Amino acid sequence: MSIFKTIDTLDRDEIVDFISPAKSFAWNFQPSKEGRSGSIEFRRPPGVDSAKKTKHWVAFAMSFIWMSMTSNPQAFIDDLTKTKSTFRKVRHPDFQDRLIRAAKEIGEYWNLDPRLEQEDDVEKLHITMMNDASFEWLSKTGRGYRWSENS
């Protein structure tokens, strides 16, 4: 069963549990469950070492949320299925264009720098809170993730 068909069969709280089963995930959707605060926690942004990159990360998160709120989910699914991407590495054909359009709509375009396409700098990243399964998954990438010595 495809990921989209699975999600179609779930209610809101089940979707939250499916995409973010614990608060230790990078984007924690647990508080958005029925009867909770309604927020989303960004718990693991990429390591940033400058004001410009920090502004970019905030602009990216805000633009991504706005894009998600204003996009037609069926059009997104239809476009994505045409690319034959696997779920492990999804690359939507016009994701960047949609993100930039969303950034312009909310006035964050000048803080968003699409050239940055940031990845974690594992030397600067301090992992202090994460469940064992998530850390094991990160470790399998072979990029050298490790627990912070400060934890």
Side-chain angles (χ1 to χ4, degrees), residues 51-67:
K52 181 178 182 164
K53 288 181 180 179
T54 301
K55 289 178 183 178
H56 167 78
W57 169 250
V58 171
F60 172 85
M62 291 172 59
S63 301
F64 180 81
I65 291 167
W66 182 251
M67 179 184 71

Side-chain angles (χ1 to χ4, degrees), residues 3-22:
I3 189 82
F4 300 112
K5 288 181 181 175
T6 299
I7 288 174
D8 285 344
T9 66
L10 305 175
D11 67 29
R12 176 181 162 168
D13 286 356
E14 290 172 325
I15 291 171
V16 168
D17 287 336
F18 184 75
I19 62 173
S20 174

Side-chain angles (χ1 to χ4, degrees), residues 115-127:
R115 296 169 299 166
L116 289 177
E117 292 195 19
Q118 300 177 83
E119 291 191 20
D120 290 335
D121 180 345
V122 295
E123 296 299 316
K124 295 179 182 174
L125 186 64
H126 294 280
I127 299 175

Side-chain angles (χ1 to χ4, degrees), residues 64-83:
F64 180 81
I65 291 167
W66 182 251
M67 179 184 71
S68 300
M69 291 171 49
T70 59
S71 293
N72 174 342
Q74 190 58 51
F76 179 86
I77 293 166
D78 293 345
D79 290 346
L80 187 60
T81 55
K82 291 175 193 172
T83 68

